[in-house]
Amino acid sequence: MTGKLFFPLVGLLAAATLSAQPASGGYPIDPVPFTSVKVAPDSFWGQRLKASREVTIPLAFSKCESEGRYENFVKAAKQMHSPVNLGYEVKGFSFDDTDVYKTIEGASYVLQTYPDKKLEAYIDSVLVIVAAAQEPDGYLYTARTMNPEHPHEWAGDKRWVNDEELSHELYNLGHMVEAAVAHWQATGKRNFLDIAIRYADCVVREVGAGPGQARVIPGHQIAEMALAKLYLATGEKKYLDEAKFFLDERGKTGHNDEYNQSHVPVLEQDEAVGHAVRAAYMYAGMADVAALTGDRGYIDAIDRIWENIVSKKLYITGGIGATNNGEAFGENYQLPNMSAYCETCAAIGNVYVNYRMFLLHGDAKYYDVLERTLYNGLISGVSLEGDGFFYPNPLESIGQHQRQAWFGCACCPSNICRFIPSVPGYVYAVKDNALYVNLFMPNTMTQKVAGKDVTLTQKTGYPYDGDIEITIDKTALKKEMALKVRIPGWVRGDVVPSDLYSYVDGKHPGYTVTVNGVPVESALGQGYFTITRKWKKGDKVVVHFDLEPRVVKAHVEVNADVGRIAIERGPVVYCAEWPDNPGFSVRSVLMNQEPQFTVKHSDELFGLDKIATKAQTLSFGKDGRLEVKDVDLTLIPYYAWCHRGSGEMAVWLPQDLRATKPSKPATLASTSKIGASTPARSISAVNDQLVPGDESSPYYHWWPKQGGTEWLTYDFAAPATVSRSSVWWFDDQPWGGCSVPKAWRISYKDASGNWVPVEDPSGYPLRKGAACEVRFKPVTTSAVRLEVDLPAELSAGLYEWDVK
Ligand SMILES: [Zn+2]
């Protein structure tokens, strides 16, 4: 009886709630959505938004076409309407649908600021294809629908059963919802939102703790925060309940695994572990549940995990995820530089977490972490032009890193697609009569504060200028408004809100605030300078931050940074890169004990400030003696590295002799030209003179090849006499796919160009973690060859191959 009355009523309420404006409320502090903020085109972020709009997003759409992403939806639709199995082979990744969703999400943010009828029509046409692939009950997962009898190998034989492992059905839901809400906010159209609601309803019906429901958790998190967002958009609490179910159920389903944070129930977790993107998305979902429900257990758990990250697992660039082994967080204080994983997606996840923590607690310290990530380890993931991407974002390089045009697993570029255009949504927030100014960029904002429209303009050259001017353009608010300006941690003397990094130069930068030219004072509360008054049109607030280069040291437990310093200015972390420092190796510098800096503006790289300082370089001469040379060292913002080709780069620079890496004299191997049966960019690792034991030594491997024989050759610059050779094998057993090989041997090129085995070899040792050396009868030759028999069921690789 009640059911008949109840359902139409809910429909009516939902319709009433679903205006084109997002439902406000839910969080203790309200977001000011991207739809309310217009960023000035001619600015630091204006340039990034332009590159996103004109390059990254069109590129992503074209990849969706060329890589068959749309085709998958078409195939699913055709199969659904076919009485017979059409026999589609399900290829690619089981989460390929999300590339389409993420690109639409990014394009939606763009549409808000740059209305574009053609783009809108294009998205609508894509949504027609997406809608056609949706099964009648709402299920939308092309990797199954296009061939239910032989779905994707990761999909499982029934819906949901394999989600905890690999199917990504719930991951696809998450990205769909995120995108659909953005599309609806930007355009006011429901065509995508309705698709997402139908899929979400299907999940709510079929996945849960009730009778007949599949009791599973998302193997890759994101549905948690997406469903929280859908709850905010629709007012339907069932979505928040489902998000909480996914979290509550974690660690209780038997699939207990640190890799995807299901090792223990989430409320018992206190350390960031496992795959860093999954982790960050989950922590964002936990922060959502904490903020939207006020659940004490959730608040305490997410506070503990956040504390662990910022005090033990955060790179100075704001990146997270130390190791490529499982794309994961490392141990506490394990923050290697050259092998730092710092996936671009994880940096985006770190912004999500800290944003929600701010909405929960209202403390500026969360924005300090967010801003650090935003200006450094996140935007480093996309080139200034918008078409070159990093998957990992290391803090040191010897040239083995190169921006890519796209990736087979396109998570990072498509995440950049949706993140960069959403940046305007992070600038402000409101609570009652308080307006938070959290980020600094030139923009105009119109937003309701205490129910009344307020329009203001922000002008600044931040992050290269510490002056910010905020003008009230219009206000309908008759009572007082509290303007809360964030005073960044870097002004207050805190690199991060923990003891993980500290300023060590003894400087004390300050700040000033004036209102209509008159200095004002205020005690800081939670990192905010609050000006409460009745504002009127034309009121002007001028904020000045002292902006100068600062010297940072890491906590002594961070082994990778011992004896080293990093330089930053404002929110921007700097690095030394090869193009600005010709004539010496930036990895061999020794910084002065009290370095002095000069700042120089440059029009290079879309305009930035470089920092110059005096330093020294250390190198071993031919006679083996250490040579010291004075040099002028130039630093650039970390985000701008690797725009001028591959080469050396370092963020942490030695200040103690113990930490220096004097450059070594060239060797026969290091000056040889490398040839290979399987060429790859990483091949430069084999003669880079870095052997295991050097911190995060690069390696080269033949994975996924197994069995068979591979080879490498060294062509010498001039004929040389050789009599021994050493190899350091790469072996990541038991977790990885490489071990020491089955066998190896050395041959040389004879006068007629044939490969001839060396004579009288002393033996070809096969040891893990040590140099494996063979001695042989001296031979004069122009080239040598290393042949490697791969193990039958595994691959092999090497850190270094030396020949003398
Ligand atoms: Zn990624």
Side-chain angles (χ1 to χ4, degrees):
M1 280 290 284
T2 47
K4 278 181 188 165
L5 284 171
F6 185 67
F7 281 107
L9 192 61
V10 168
L12 209 64
L13 282 173
T17 316
L18 282 168
S19 69
Q21 278 297 311
S24 85
Y27 294 107
I29 295 174
D30 287 329
V32 171
F34 66 93
T35 46
S36 301
V37 182
K38 309 265 184 284
V39 173
D42 186 18
S43 65
F44 183 92
W45 285 105
Q47 187 274 317
R48 288 284 183 171
L49 294 171
K50 181 166 184 264
S52 219
R53 182 173 75 246
E54 295 182 355
V55 180
T56 316
I57 290 170
L59 175 68
F61 275 132
S62 78
K63 290 286 175 187
C64 286
E65 288 192 37
S66 66
E67 306 297 306
R69 300 289 190 265
Y70 297 152
E71 193 60 30
N72 289 340
F73 290 93
V74 173
K75 285 176 180 167
K78 283 186 178 161
Q79 179 58 58
M80 237 192 310
H81 296 103
S82 168
V84 295
N85 188 320
L86 299 172
Y88 292 126
E89 192 192 345
V90 193
K91 293 177 291 195
F93 290 106
S94 57
F95 47 83
D96 280 348
D97 293 355
T98 62
D99 289 340
V100 176
Y101 307 149
K102 287 150 97 178
T103 311
I104 293 177
E105 182 177 343
S108 299
Y109 296 128
V110 165
L111 278 177
Q112 179 56 32
T113 315
Y114 292 89
D116 180 340
K117 286 269 170 275
K118 251 173 80 180
L119 177 58
E120 216 177 312
Y122 177 81
I123 295 173
D124 284 342
S125 71
V126 173
L127 290 173
V128 170
I129 302 172
V130 172
Q134 186 160 39
E135 297 192 13
D137 67 355
Y139 185 74
L140 213 178
Y141 179 70
T142 65
R144 182 187 309 283
T145 307
M146 76 167 80
N147 191 342
E149 286 164 39
H150 303 285
H152 192 281
E153 58 176 338
W154 289 357
D157 57 356
K158 285 206 304 263
R159 286 180 185 183
W160 324 120
V161 294
N162 216 28
D163 203 89
E164 289 178 32
E165 299 293 329
L166 286 165
S167 79
H168 289 79
E169 285 150 294
L170 299 168
Y171 176 80
N172 286 11
L173 168 75
H175 272 300
M176 182 196 293
V177 167
E178 292 269 321
V181 172
H183 179 257
W184 166 66
Q185 283 182 319
T187 64
K189 292 186 193 170
R190 295 195 45 129
N191 45 346
F192 198 4
L193 188 65
D194 285 338
I195 296 170
I197 286 176
R198 280 198 292 274
Y199 190 21
D201 288 346
C202 169
V203 169
V204 169
R205 263 193 325 271
E206 298 192 4
V207 182
Q213 289 186 302
R215 195 158 185 161
V216 297
I217 53 164
H220 192 315
Q221 299 91 325
I222 189 177
E224 300 81 356
M225 59 171 159
L227 288 168
K229 194 172 272 184
L230 192 58
Y231 155 69
L232 287 171
T234 63
E236 294 261 17
K237 189 158 171 295
K238 64 182 177 186
Y239 302 126
L240 183 61
D241 293 342
E242 187 78 2
K244 189 162 179 295
F245 165 78
F246 287 153
L247 290 165
D248 287 342
E249 195 68 6
R250 229 170 175 80
K252 300 175 187 167
T253 60
H255 274 97
N256 306 352
D257 192 352
E258 266 198 6
Y259 174 72
N260 68 8
Q261 301 78 36
S262 58
H263 52 304
V264 292
V266 297
L267 296 187
E268 294 167 28
Q269 297 188 20
D270 48 21
E271 184 178 347
V273 294
H275 189 274
V277 179
R278 293 167 201 248
Y281 286 5
M282 181 176 92
Y283 304 150
M286 288 174 70
D288 275 335
V289 169
L292 296 171
T293 65
D295 184 309
R296 197 66 240 174
Y298 269 88
I299 295 173
D300 291 345
I302 195 59
D303 283 352
R304 288 194 306 269
I305 293 169
W306 180 87
E307 199 66 44
N308 173 251
I309 296 173
V310 298
S311 57
K312 297 185 176 71
K313 300 196 178 188
L314 180 73
Y315 280 93
I316 191 173
T317 55
I320 52 173
T323 171
N324 71 343
N325 195 349
E327 308 185 316
F329 282 102
E331 301 295 322
N332 286 331
Y333 299 115
Q334 185 196 351
L335 296 165
N337 291 309
M338 200 183 318
S339 64
Y341 202 63
C342 291
E343 185 177 338
T344 302
C345 290
I348 291 173
N350 199 25
V351 167
Y352 292 156
V353 174
N354 281 283
Y355 180 55
R356 286 157 174 77
M357 294 301 280
F358 162 76
L359 295 175
L360 169 62
H361 291 303
D363 197 303
K365 67 183 180 182
Y366 302 108
Y367 256 93
D368 290 342
V369 180
L370 187 157
E371 181 182 62
R372 176 167 293 277
T373 308
L374 191 58
Y375 279 95
N376 302 291
L378 194 161
I379 54 172
S380 59
V382 56
S383 68
L384 289 151
E385 295 83 0
D387 60 354
F389 305 93
F390 272 134
Y391 197 117
N393 292 273
L395 282 76
E396 189 165 349
S397 182
I398 55 167
Q400 74 273 48
H401 304 101
Q402 174 73 55
R403 291 180 182 279
Q404 306 284 316
W406 204 251
F407 304 95
C409 170
C411 61
C412 296
S414 55
N415 235 346
I416 280 287
C417 250
R418 75 187 185 116
F419 181 80
I420 297 290
S422 78
V423 165
Y426 290 91
V427 182
Y428 302 98
V430 289
K431 180 181 171 65
D432 307 324
N433 73 329
L435 177 66
Y436 292 84
V437 182
N438 280 321
L439 293 177
F440 309 107
M441 62 186 77
N443 71 84
T444 300
M445 179 219 74
T446 299
Q447 173 67 23
K448 285 206 183 331
V449 179
K452 302 288 181 194
D453 275 339
V454 174
T455 299
L456 60 75
T457 297
Q458 199 189 129
K459 285 186 187 162
T460 179
Y462 199 87
Y464 295 121
D465 180 352
D467 292 303
I468 298 126
E469 187 185 288
I470 300 165
T471 308
I472 305 292
D473 299 326
K474 260 188 255 172
T475 174
L477 194 62
K478 295 282 175 273
K479 57 177 189 173
E480 290 183 329
M481 176 177 84
L483 189 72
K484 295 174 92 71
V485 179
R486 173 176 151 262
I487 306 301
W490 61 262
V491 181
R492 304 195 315 269
D494 293 330
V495 183
V496 288
S498 73
D499 63 358
L500 187 52
Y501 303 104
S502 338
Y503 294 116
V504 293
D505 51 17
K507 293 179 186 172
H508 295 284
Y511 64 92
T512 56
V513 181
T514 64
V515 177
N516 297 330
V518 181
V520 288
E521 301 281 341
S522 158
L524 294 189
Q526 292 192 304
Y528 289 92
F529 187 102
T530 305
I531 313 161
T532 306
R533 54 184 275 150
K534 281 184 188 163
W535 298 90
K536 56 183 194 313
K537 183 181 169 180
D539 280 346
K540 189 168 286 184
V541 177
V542 174
V543 182
H544 166 81
F545 300 137
D546 290 341
L547 190 64
E548 46 184 322
R550 302 297 311 271
V551 179
V552 178
K553 273 193 178 171
H555 191 285
V556 290
E557 302 249 15
V558 183
N559 284 334
D561 302 336
V562 168
R564 292 161 175 259
I565 55 174
I567 313 302
E568 52 182 52
R569 181 165 171 260
V572 179
V573 176
Y574 277 72
C575 70
E577 199 193 13
W578 65 276
D580 307 294
N581 300 287
F584 63 94
S585 156
V586 298
R587 295 185 70 249
S588 69
V589 300
L590 176 63
M591 300 294 280
N592 288 354
Q593 292 305 297
E594 291 189 10
Q596 304 297 312
F597 303 102
T598 47
V599 177
K600 317 182 277 197
H601 181 75
S602 166
D603 290 331
E604 258 182 278
L605 302 166
F606 292 87
L608 45 74
D609 286 354
K610 296 187 180 184
I611 295 178
T613 188
K614 301 275 184 208
Q616 292 170 306
T617 56
L618 305 182
S619 57
F620 288 108
K622 274 256 183 284
D623 59 357
R625 279 162 46 123
L626 191 63
E627 293 169 359
V628 182
K629 196 171 81 174
D630 288 332
V631 293
D632 292 311
L633 181 71
T634 298
L635 308 174
I636 62 161
Y638 169 75
Y639 71 74
W641 88 282
C642 209
H643 281 78
R644 299 166 292 180
S646 298
E648 291 192 337
M649 180 279 291
V651 169
W652 288 98
L653 301 164
Q655 194 180 36
D656 277 8
L657 275 172
R658 285 171 301 162
T660 56
K661 291 193 192 311
S663 42
K664 296 171 186 165
T667 62
L668 187 57
S670 76
T671 53
S672 292
K673 187 165 156 277
I674 311 172
S677 53
T678 308
R681 169 154 288 278
S682 60
I683 205 156
S684 61
V686 306
N687 70 343
D688 62 9
Q689 300 185 281
L690 295 176
V691 298
D694 285 351
E695 170 247 341
S696 55
S697 167
Y699 53 86
Y700 165 83
H701 60 71
W702 288 286
W703 173 260
K705 291 191 172 176
Q706 303 183 346
T709 299
E710 299 284 338
W711 54 261
L712 294 172
T713 55
Y714 278 156
D715 278 300
F716 302 150
T721 304
V722 293
S723 62
R724 55 192 165 126
S725 181
S726 301
V727 181
W728 285 258
W729 299 109
F730 172 70
D731 183 328
D732 58 358
Q733 290 300 300
W735 297 287
C738 292
S739 80
V740 293
K742 200 163 76 184
W744 61 288
R745 57 211 159 262
I746 300 288
S747 48
Y748 69 95
K749 196 179 256 184
D750 70 9
S752 42
N754 298 316
W755 292 109
V756 181
V758 294
E759 290 178 40
D760 302 332
S762 60
Y764 291 99
L766 292 165
R767 279 195 308 269
K768 178 177 178 173
C772 296
E773 187 186 67
V774 56
R775 289 169 181 266
F776 45 84
K777 192 175 151 193
V779 58
T780 302
T781 179
S782 63
V784 290
R785 178 155 121 144
L786 167 66
E787 281 177 22
V788 181
D789 296 334
L790 305 184
E793 306 269 293
L794 284 165
S795 196
L798 62 158
Y799 289 101
E800 196 74 7
W801 174 31
D802 194 24
V803 54
K804 284 187 168 107

